[in-house]
Amino acid sequence: MSQGKKGNFIGDGTSFLNTPTSPTKMVATRFSSIRSSISHDPFDDDLDSALMKIDVGGEVKELVSASSRSYSNRSISSDDMIPCGQVVSKIDNGNETDNDENDEEEEDQDVPPESSSSEDEVSIGKLHGFGDYATYFQNKTAKQQKADKDYLEWETKRRGGSTERPIFSGCVIHVNGHTVPSINEIHRLVILYGGKFIHYLHNKGAATHIICDKLTPRKMIQFKNYKVVKAQWLVDSISKGELLDWSDYRVIEDVVYGQQRLGFSKLEDKIEEEEVEKQVQSEIIMPNDPESDDEMIPLTQSQNEQNEEVTLSQSGEAHIEELNTNFELTANRQLDARNPDFLEHFFAYSRLHHLSTWKAELRARFLKKILNETTPSQEKKKYDVRVVFHVDFDCFFAAASALNRPDLDINKDPIAVSHGQRTSDVASCNYIARSKGVKNGMWMAQARKLCPELIILDYDFEAYERHSNAMYDYLIQSEIFDAIFPVSVDEVLLDATSYCNANADGVTSTVNALATKLRSDIFSKTSCTVSVGASKNVLLAKLSLRRAKPNGQYYLHENFEEFLENIPARNLPGIGGSIVRKLTAAIGADVNHVPLISDLGKLSLMKLKSIFGEKTGIKLFNYARGIDDTSIDIRRKGDALKRKSVSVDVNYGIRFDTVSQLDIFLIDISKELYRRLIRLTMCGTSITLRLARRAPEAPIEPEKFLGMGHCVFANKSAKFGVPTNDWGIIGSELKALYRMLNIPVHELRGISITMTNLEDVENIKKNRQMKLPFALNTGENDSNKLKPSPVSSPRKFEEENDIDWEVFNCLPLSIQLEQREELLRRGIIPPEVDSHPQPIMESTPTRGTSKVYMQQLIPKMEEEGVSYTKVIESPTRRSPTKRKLQSPSYKQTSPSKRRQSPIKSRLQSPSRMEIPRPNYSTYDETGSYDESVFNALPSSVQKEVLFTLEEKAKNKMAYGHHKSAPVLDSKWLSRKHPLVKLPLFQNKPTTIGSMKSLISGWISSSLLQGGPHLDDVNMMLDYIEKLLQQDNLLRSMSIFQHIKTRLFCESISFESVGSPYTENQDTKALVEVGFKEWRQIIVSSIVPMIQRYCIEHDIEVDTST
DNA sequence: CCAGGGACTCAG
DNA sequence: CATCGCTGAGTCCCTGG
Ligand SMILES: Nc1ccn([C@H]2C[C@H](O)[C@@H](COP(=O)(O)OP(=O)(O)OP(=O)(O)O)O2)c(=O)n1
């Protein structure tokens, strides 16, 4: 559970950038080479040779400066363009020392842990987080030991001569796989405490210890002669100050990616269950983790998973079959979403996930910083010239990753960062590669075609984060700027109006000097170059930045029109492919024509508005004239920066064979969403499920390994009625939503879930109403964090006949849900569920589903290639943007595309499922419901309950109290969703017996939920209809009779004294509703259907109820 | 007319 | 072996009250 617990680079020891675990294989060697001080200035004009000599620990090493000249000989004519590579070392040093004290005092919480020992720093110079580490050029393996020695000396000097105990003296340590702490940190610690560190295991026996938190079976064999220990061994040894016995930290077996965790596969391993259990436990409760109490999710989760295991292994032959399948797949490393550890692994490797996470964290951080500011922002003086800076690292990933390879020259070798060779994306490529036509986002196959000698580097997410933090820390502590607005991990907007206007040298020269200084300072802290664009607004600053790149600066303050006219419109912010296409069409140009800003300027405001809409039209009109009033002041943006949604998207590795596999995954992403919501202390009221389905014409397997290929999208959303963040509730809802979308599991290629209508838990607490399920922990402790209550024993509930719902509702939601399931299972809430064996066990008894679906119960049919009568699809078939990569011409550009949708959508059922929340007091019968129980139900169930109540109320109003059999109206009918066509059962080896037992189970469970699910009812009605169409009246009647019989039996059981049904008033009420629902179905749907058939065929049957 | 929400677009 | 195609915001436009 280390995900999201790393990256203490900034702040009061708590994580700032919540970086997902980064895999070791791409982690940089931070300390492989050392330089004791920054003695050169890379921007020195004299560095024409682009080479400089630096003394590295007595050894002369050639380094390439980052002078922009080696990039290209591009010339910029503007007077304001400062030639790249100015000497600014004086500013650099002076400023740094000046700001140090301020920094220490005022921004105390921003001091990274690494630099906490301030006296040490005085003697050696300021440590800016990781900035100084980053200035060490990385070395090759051969130089490793030397570099380590240098580091030790440097560190010793930094600490004023004191050294740590050589605990690891004599130890040669190698790290394998992902560890906590990271490989870099372990490396540093090993060196610091007298050990040796090796990166590669070239010769057998070279290492004395291998540190490894997780071990794949293959590695297990490979390392069997080594002392393989957990990273904790190192941590504990250091904290104890002595070398601890390694065997106490032996890595025996752990849940690893690529290894099945289901009980079945564990039988194969000769490992004692207890041992594993213990290790799992120790992983869950991490006392050293400063945030561990903020997240006891792992505990809940793990327990659930264990539960799942148990239920799985008990659930009969169907699952053994599935287990076998899994096991086989596992044997050759299952890399898709069927793997239980897929999600964690995927996010650890996903660059886009990292980018998004970083961005969100940065936003939150700066927003919080503003909110915490006690001093009200001084009213700013009005200056004539607004000055906005846009700062961006040059080819960020490529530059940062290249630092791990001292043998490469970012200015000479074509470099790209990517995971693979062929269909893998180029995340970032340097300017050499770009000169060959390689672009960010391009596939490797194409990139290599354009540039065969392209050098591919691994990602190093930790390094990116480090450099980013170094930059932001620096910008904050400089206290130059009126506003700092983070755009992304490598990009920032700055307002330097006050500083530049106040300076006596004049605005222009001050801006240029400041830009130079920024570039120099940031380079010295990160060894990565940044470019700076500056102008009077955000738009122009951005365009200037583009002009400045790479490794340059540009201040645009005059001749704006001239500057703008020849820039492609595409370069404007917010103008993407779609708008450009419309624009091209509007100016009547050829498709291949690149529309320029000057082209845009020719269009009237009216015209622009009519093509692009009100806001976009105005924006484009202004952009064409260099006008932009976007604010970058977080203070003024205020609410605009407040989060409006939280989502988890996975459009990679989505491959399922069965619905139960999908259900497990849906629970997994629900848990992920829950974790994110908890971190944000937020709840939401709406959930949206977005599914990507393989497009009909797309091949089963797309070109990209485990990619999504060409897909069609479908969305469906639901409201919870009350805010929640509980993964159980979310998971149940998602399962329900999936079933409504009618997409066969094996066609799925992508899954996204989004929580909206967010509310802060604190706010909810403040003005909470009665019994809101999230109103936990309202204790006096003003804890900011949502701390779930300790798990209480299920036994407590088992022994109570009457459940105290008050107590129940004070439990964390996930526990509530667990308990609820437990109660269900033990027959306390729904005593019947257990006594009736669940029919047809294809569906996994996954937790959280409190609704039994017939669809779920008979999915076998669905998977056997059944045709569909109607399938809900997204009214608008959106072609995913990614398609552009594969077939640029795919996207339809017809501007009328959208206008069609109204008609279409009218023909189709609404894709949003409304769950009405009527005023309870309106209906007296609702008084018998405990709202807290109601609230805890999945909304799909709530919907049913409310609907029944509403109908009842309506009928009551219309016909008075005595009207007993409410009629179905058109509204009810219109609520029907198109359904999957049922397979013809008689062609299958389905017996009427199995059909009956299925129905029995369905009826008994549905009663406890206030009636059957609408979809299931429709399924059944469809089925009966089909039977009748085939003149199979016998079977229709048989089903009808069976339903009647079952309901009769249930009602007897219900009314008998002491029945578990009547144990609880709420259950009783729900069951009553359930009976009425069923009655309604029989009277209004089944009977008329059969009667109609009989009349048509002149048959007489008994349809009395 | 307005609020709410789905679809689409964009950016790094 | 592949490979890690996320995620939040803004805008347009429709719908329902
Ligand atoms: N399709 C993309 C675009 C960007 N990135 C990542 C890698 C980039 O290094 C980083 C920053 O993106 P930029 O657009 O700023 O591009 P670069 O920094 O690579 O180049 P430059 O800013 O010099 O144009 O985001 C990515 O993974 N995939």
Side-chain angles (χ1 to χ4, degrees):
Chain A
M1 260 306 124
S2 58
Q3 176 162 346
K5 304 277 200 68
K6 302 180 49 185
N8 294 350
F9 301 121
I10 280 191
D12 50 347
T14 61
S15 170
F16 153 45
L17 286 181
N18 169 26
T19 318
T21 329
S22 296
T24 316
K25 82 164 217 209
M26 56 181 136
V27 166
T29 316
R30 193 195 301 160
F31 302 100
S32 55
S33 177
I34 278 93
R35 204 157 50 86
S36 59
S37 70
I38 307 152
S39 58
H40 75 292
D41 191 307
F43 297 90
D44 196 316
D45 238 350
D46 295 327
L47 297 174
D48 265 354
S49 63
L51 287 174
M52 61 189 309
K53 294 183 190 254
I54 295 174
D55 193 349
V56 182
E59 177 190 332
V60 174
K61 189 164 175 266
E62 280 191 317
L63 285 172
V64 180
S65 88
S67 167
S68 70
R69 307 208 170 166
S70 40
Y71 278 120
S72 69
N73 53 5
R74 178 179 54 91
S75 69
I76 293 161
S77 54
S78 165
D79 293 339
D80 302 307
M81 183 63 195
I82 292 228
C84 304
Q86 292 207 342
V87 187
V88 283
S89 50
K90 265 188 202 157
I91 309 173
D92 181 358
N93 298 333
N95 182 277
E96 235 174 74
T97 343
D98 280 354
N99 284 308
D100 259 0
E101 280 105 18
N102 296 343
D103 189 19
E104 301 292 334
E105 283 179 16
E106 294 177 20
E107 307 265 351
D108 209 7
Q109 79 278 18
D110 279 342
V111 177
E114 266 71 14
S115 59
S116 53
S117 145
S118 54
E119 324 126 40
D120 292 340
E121 282 165 25
V122 175
S123 61
I124 201 86
K126 163 87 172 171
L127 256 185
H128 276 279
F130 290 83
D132 286 0
Y133 300 143
T135 62
Y136 306 150
F137 287 99
Q138 310 299 318
N139 215 334
K140 288 184 185 174
T141 323
K143 311 249 168 125
Q144 184 69 67
Q145 304 308 323
K146 166 111 187 75
D148 288 347
K149 192 166 148 270
D150 290 341
Y151 167 69
L152 194 56
E153 280 168 12
W154 177 85
E155 180 69 26
T156 309
K157 196 175 152 204
R158 193 178 75 86
R159 290 161 176 260
S162 75
T163 54
E164 297 292 346
R165 276 189 65 183
I167 304 169
F168 302 117
S169 147
C171 294
V172 181
I173 288 164
H174 170 75
V175 172
N176 181 275
H178 173 254
T179 54
V180 180
S182 71
I183 182 170
N184 288 340
E185 188 59 13
I186 291 175
H187 184 177
R188 192 174 70 82
L189 291 170
V190 167
I191 302 307
L192 204 56
Y193 290 87
K196 268 175 93 174
F197 184 92
I198 54 168
H199 268 280
Y200 303 105
L201 278 179
H202 289 310
N203 31 350
K204 295 236 180 238
T208 58
H209 298 76
I210 293 176
I211 294 185
C212 179
D213 283 348
K214 292 177 176 182
L215 204 51
T216 58
R218 195 190 300 174
K219 290 269 170 62
M220 208 126 99
I221 297 162
Q222 198 186 332
F223 295 161
K224 64 174 186 288
N225 295 323
Y226 287 95
K227 297 172 185 170
V228 185
V229 296
K230 298 209 159 212
Q232 200 58 38
W233 167 73
L234 179 115
V235 176
D236 290 353
S237 292
I238 290 170
S239 65
K240 279 260 168 63
E242 58 178 3
L243 193 68
L244 297 176
D245 185 2
W246 75 275
S247 53
D248 292 342
Y249 297 86
R250 187 198 299 265
V251 177
I252 298 164
E253 194 251 19
D254 239 316
V255 178
V256 287
Y257 184 71
Q259 192 175 21
Q260 190 47 259
R261 61 158 184 208
L262 295 175
F264 190 78
S265 63
K266 280 193 180 143
L267 298 176
E268 296 293 305
D269 307 321
K270 293 151 199 114
I271 289 145
E272 290 153 36
E273 289 284 322
E274 279 177 22
E275 198 92 43
V276 177
E277 204 83 4
K278 235 189 282 169
Q279 289 191 9
V280 170
Q281 288 294 327
S282 71
E283 251 200 9
I284 292 160
I285 306 149
M286 296 199 297
N288 289 344
D289 191 317
E291 291 188 6
S292 61
D293 54 353
D294 146 58
E295 295 193 16
M296 63 160 264
I297 310 100
L299 190 55
T300 330
Q301 185 184 350
S302 166
Q303 285 191 342
N304 292 332
E305 273 157 12
Q306 283 173 12
N307 287 349
E308 274 167 24
E309 275 176 42
V310 172
T311 4
L312 262 174
S313 49
Q314 288 171 346
S315 61
E317 287 180 13
H319 286 288
I320 297 207
E321 217 178 280
E322 192 184 310
L323 278 172
N324 275 328
T325 322
N326 278 351
F327 183 66
E328 275 169 30
L329 289 165
T330 302
N332 39 339
R333 288 179 66 86
Q334 194 174 24
L335 300 173
D336 56 37
R338 280 168 289 198
N339 189 300
D341 298 320
F342 172 78
L343 209 57
E344 190 184 357
H345 174 89
F346 170 64
F347 282 145
Y349 282 78
S350 165
R351 75 185 201 281
L352 292 175
H353 169 72
H354 278 84
L355 285 174
S356 299
T357 311
W358 284 327
K359 182 181 180 149
E361 297 272 347
L362 280 164
R363 274 199 164 202
R365 177 193 181 202
F366 277 83
L367 197 60
K368 197 172 159 207
K369 188 173 174 300
I370 295 300
L371 290 177
N372 288 347
E373 264 176 14
T374 43
T375 50
S377 56
Q378 302 109 345
E379 66 293 350
K380 267 183 284 174
K381 278 190 226 162
K382 287 284 170 211
Y383 291 107
D384 294 342
V385 198
R386 185 177 175 216
V387 182
V388 176
F389 276 68
H390 195 157
V391 181
D392 183 316
F393 280 105
D394 299 318
C395 49
F396 186 45
F397 285 15
S401 284
L403 290 178
N404 298 329
R405 292 280 301 268
D407 55 316
L408 297 180
D409 182 346
I410 190 78
N411 300 317
K412 288 209 173 70
D413 302 311
I415 292 169
V417 173
S418 177
H419 279 307
Q421 298 292 324
R422 220 173 45 81
T423 60
S424 175
D425 283 10
V426 171
S428 177
C429 59
N430 70 351
Y431 282 78
I432 304 298
R434 282 182 208 196
S435 68
K436 301 276 183 66
V438 182
K439 287 191 168 60
N440 287 1
M442 190 179 259
W443 277 9
M444 277 304 299
Q446 196 190 350
R448 291 202 305 181
K449 209 162 117 192
L450 291 164
C451 178
E453 65 280 20
L454 191 64
I455 295 159
I456 304 158
L457 299 184
D458 270 336
Y459 290 84
D460 184 352
F461 294 119
E462 287 188 17
Y464 309 151
E465 191 172 317
R466 220 161 52 231
H467 299 321
S468 174
N469 284 333
M471 175 178 75
Y472 279 107
D473 283 352
Y474 162 73
L475 292 174
I476 290 169
Q477 61 85 34
S478 76
E479 293 188 345
I480 289 174
F481 305 102
D482 303 328
I484 301 176
F485 186 91
V487 177
S488 80
V489 71
D490 81 320
E491 202 174 324
V492 64
L493 286 165
L494 306 165
D495 187 337
T497 305
S498 306
Y499 179 88
C500 295
N501 281 280
N503 198 299
D505 295 347
V507 175
T508 305
S509 73
T510 312
V511 169
N512 285 322
L514 180 57
T516 311
K517 173 179 149 51
L518 286 176
R519 291 169 54 214
S520 163
D521 288 356
I522 294 170
F523 180 82
S524 77
K525 287 169 202 316
T526 63
S527 301
C528 295
T529 61
V530 292
S531 297
V532 178
S535 194
K536 61 181 182 181
N537 63 36
V538 176
L539 168 74
L540 296 173
K542 191 174 187 67
L543 295 172
S544 301
L545 172 67
R546 217 183 153 89
R547 172 71 67 92
K549 272 179 177 293
N551 192 17
Q553 60 190 61
Y554 188 83
Y555 179 35
L556 173 69
H557 63 109
E558 57 187 9
N559 301 330
F560 299 106
E561 246 176 73
E562 195 184 311
F563 176 87
L564 285 172
E565 61 187 6
N566 289 320
I567 293 175
R570 179 66 228 255
N571 291 10
L572 293 168
I575 312 305
S578 172
I579 291 178
V580 167
R581 265 191 307 277
K582 284 182 201 162
L583 182 62
T584 316
I587 59 175
D590 184 78
V591 194
N592 295 319
H593 175 77
V594 179
L596 302 177
I597 293 183
S598 52
D599 294 326
L600 189 61
K602 285 172 202 149
L603 297 172
S604 70
L605 182 58
M606 276 281 285
K607 179 127 199 212
L608 287 170
K609 278 190 189 172
S610 74
I611 302 169
F612 302 103
E614 181 77 12
K615 291 224 180 172
T616 313
I618 294 171
K619 187 172 82 177
L620 290 180
F621 185 81
N622 286 331
Y623 276 9
R625 287 150 188 80
I627 301 165
D628 174 29
D629 59 358
T630 309
S631 163
I632 58 168
D633 189 345
I634 295 176
R635 268 166 283 246
R636 288 208 296 151
K637 287 223 167 185
D639 275 0
L641 288 166
K642 228 177 66 187
R643 222 176 223 281
K644 291 166 200 71
S645 66
V646 183
S647 55
V648 180
D649 299 25
V650 183
N651 293 304
Y652 180 85
I654 299 299
R655 297 290 186 279
F656 298 111
D657 314 306
T658 64
V659 177
S660 44
Q661 289 170 353
L662 170 68
D663 283 347
I664 290 169
F665 187 73
L666 287 176
I667 292 293
D668 271 358
I669 53 172
S670 303
K671 286 173 183 170
E672 179 61 33
L673 185 63
Y674 167 68
R675 261 175 244 136
R676 294 183 191 182
L677 287 166
I678 289 286
R679 276 195 77 85
L680 299 161
T681 66
M682 285 186 135
C683 285
T685 15
S686 312
I687 190 86
T688 304
L689 176 68
R690 187 178 106 119
L691 298 177
R693 175 189 191 166
R694 179 178 67 84
E697 69 275 20
I700 303 290
E701 281 307 322
E703 237 192 300
K704 194 191 203 68
F705 175 65
L706 293 179
M708 70 195 302
H710 179 191
C711 285
V712 174
F713 290 83
N715 306 295
K716 200 158 186 69
S717 69
K719 285 188 158 190
F720 295 116
V722 290
T724 188
N725 56 22
D726 184 81
W727 59 261
I729 293 178
I730 296 168
S732 309
E733 204 61 54
L734 292 177
K735 289 181 196 174
L737 290 172
Y738 162 70
R739 282 157 177 84
M740 289 183 227
L741 284 168
N742 279 322
I743 297 178
V745 268
H746 56 269
E747 299 262 285
L748 288 179
R749 292 293 177 269
I751 297 175
S752 308
I753 59 171
T754 305
M755 184 75 103
T756 46
N757 295 326
L758 300 179
E759 233 175 301
D760 198 284
V761 171
E762 294 298 315
N763 280 345
I764 303 169
K765 275 195 213 165
K766 239 176 261 165
N767 38 350
R768 75 179 209 269
Q769 306 120 19
M770 290 297 289
K771 298 179 183 177
L772 290 178
F774 45 78
L776 13 139
N777 264 319
T778 48
E780 309 74 36
N781 297 9
D782 223 8
S783 158
N784 251 346
K785 303 197 167 171
L786 188 70
K787 290 185 190 172
S789 321
V791 188
S792 41
S793 157
R795 202 154 289 284
K796 181 182 164 197
F797 285 91
E798 201 179 10
E799 286 159 7
E800 283 175 32
N801 283 338
D802 206 356
I803 291 149
D804 183 344
W805 292 104
E806 283 284 345
V807 173
F808 188 74
N809 275 293
C810 289
L811 292 169
L813 281 170
S814 47
I815 297 174
Q816 277 187 26
L817 217 87
E818 221 163 301
Q819 300 289 10
R820 188 178 305 283
E821 292 263 296
E822 184 66 15
L823 295 176
L824 271 147
R825 232 171 46 74
R826 291 165 198 256
I828 292 178
I829 304 183
E832 285 294 292
V833 166
D834 242 9
S835 63
H836 285 269
Q838 293 285 312
I840 308 184
M841 286 313 295
E842 159 57 29
S843 84
T844 326
T846 34
R847 322 173 7 78
T849 328
S850 38
K851 200 77 183 170
V852 178
Y853 288 86
M854 280 179 82
Q855 277 165 285
Q856 201 180 337
L857 299 174
I858 47 174
K860 273 252 151 43
M861 321 302 177
E862 182 184 306
E863 275 145 38
E864 282 163 22
V866 176
S867 62
Y868 296 82
T869 42
K870 281 187 208 160
V871 176
I872 301 182
E873 269 170 15
S874 174
T876 50
R877 295 179 162 233
R878 174 187 165 191
S879 52
T881 32
K882 281 292 166 185
R883 212 65 46 242
K884 278 183 283 186
L885 290 173
Q886 285 168 5
S887 60
S889 60
Y890 171 79
K891 272 201 151 180
Q892 298 133 4
T893 54
S894 159
S896 62
K897 186 170 57 178
R898 261 173 143 178
R899 312 247 182 268
Q900 298 169 353
S901 65
I903 304 147
K904 264 195 186 171
S905 56
R906 230 172 285 135
L907 292 172
Q908 276 157 349
S909 67
S911 78
R912 195 167 58 82
M913 183 181 71
E914 272 290 358
I915 297 150
R917 298 275 302 162
N919 185 353
Y920 288 98
S921 57
T922 323
Y923 318 122
D924 41 341
E925 277 187 55
T926 57
S928 63
Y929 289 86
D930 185 329
E931 197 182 336
S932 65
V933 176
F934 179 87
N935 285 340
L937 293 169
S939 71
S940 38
V941 182
Q942 291 180 351
K943 187 181 70 169
E944 302 296 327
V945 177
L946 286 173
F947 182 73
T948 314
L949 295 173
E950 267 187 312
E951 289 300 320
K952 240 186 257 174
K954 243 187 250 161
N955 289 319
K956 211 187 289 175
M957 283 186 285
Y959 308 106
H961 259 278
H962 304 291
K963 182 82 183 175
S964 59
V967 280
L968 291 183
D969 60 14
S970 60
K971 193 181 164 197
W972 193 89
L973 293 170
S974 72
R975 287 173 74 247
K976 282 190 183 178
H977 296 286
L979 281 166
V980 178
K981 174 180 158 188
L982 273 177
L984 306 174
F985 282 177
Q986 57 270 49
N987 294 338
K988 307 279 168 186
T990 319
T991 63
I992 185 73
S994 68
M995 192 69 203
K996 279 182 175 172
S997 89
L998 186 146
I999 289 170
S1000 303
W1002 178 35
I1003 288 175
S1004 61
S1005 58
S1006 72
L1007 284 174
L1008 297 157
Q1009 297 154 356
H1013 193 283
L1014 191 59
D1015 287 1
D1016 293 338
V1017 173
N1018 285 331
M1019 288 271 291
M1020 180 192 65
L1021 295 178
D1022 260 14
Y1023 179 54
I1024 295 174
E1025 178 114 57
K1026 285 271 145 43
L1027 289 175
L1028 291 173
Q1029 272 167 21
Q1030 290 160 17
D1031 296 311
N1032 197 338
L1033 180 62
L1034 196 65
R1035 189 170 273 207
S1036 304
M1037 284 303 292
S1038 165
I1039 289 173
F1040 169 56
Q1041 291 295 347
H1042 184 67
I1043 292 172
K1044 280 200 299 185
T1045 315
R1046 283 313 309 163
L1047 284 169
F1048 181 69
C1049 294
E1050 296 281 357
S1051 69
I1052 297 292
S1053 154
F1054 177 66
E1055 276 156 27
S1056 65
V1057 189
S1059 148
Y1061 268 147
T1062 51
E1063 266 178 30
N1064 181 296
Q1065 278 304 311
D1066 307 308
T1067 316
K1068 198 176 157 191
L1070 211 60
V1071 173
E1072 268 169 18
V1073 176
F1075 277 113
K1076 286 188 178 149
E1077 278 261 341
W1078 271 109
R1079 187 184 159 76
Q1080 220 175 16
I1081 291 159
I1082 291 173
V1083 173
S1084 338
S1085 303
I1086 303 178
V1087 171
M1089 198 186 274
I1090 293 176
Q1091 278 177 342
R1092 202 181 327 121
Y1093 179 85
C1094 292
I1095 291 165
E1096 272 168 32
H1097 294 79
D1098 206 12
I1099 302 169
E1100 231 181 273
V1101 292
D1102 177 15
T1103 51
S1104 67
T1105 52

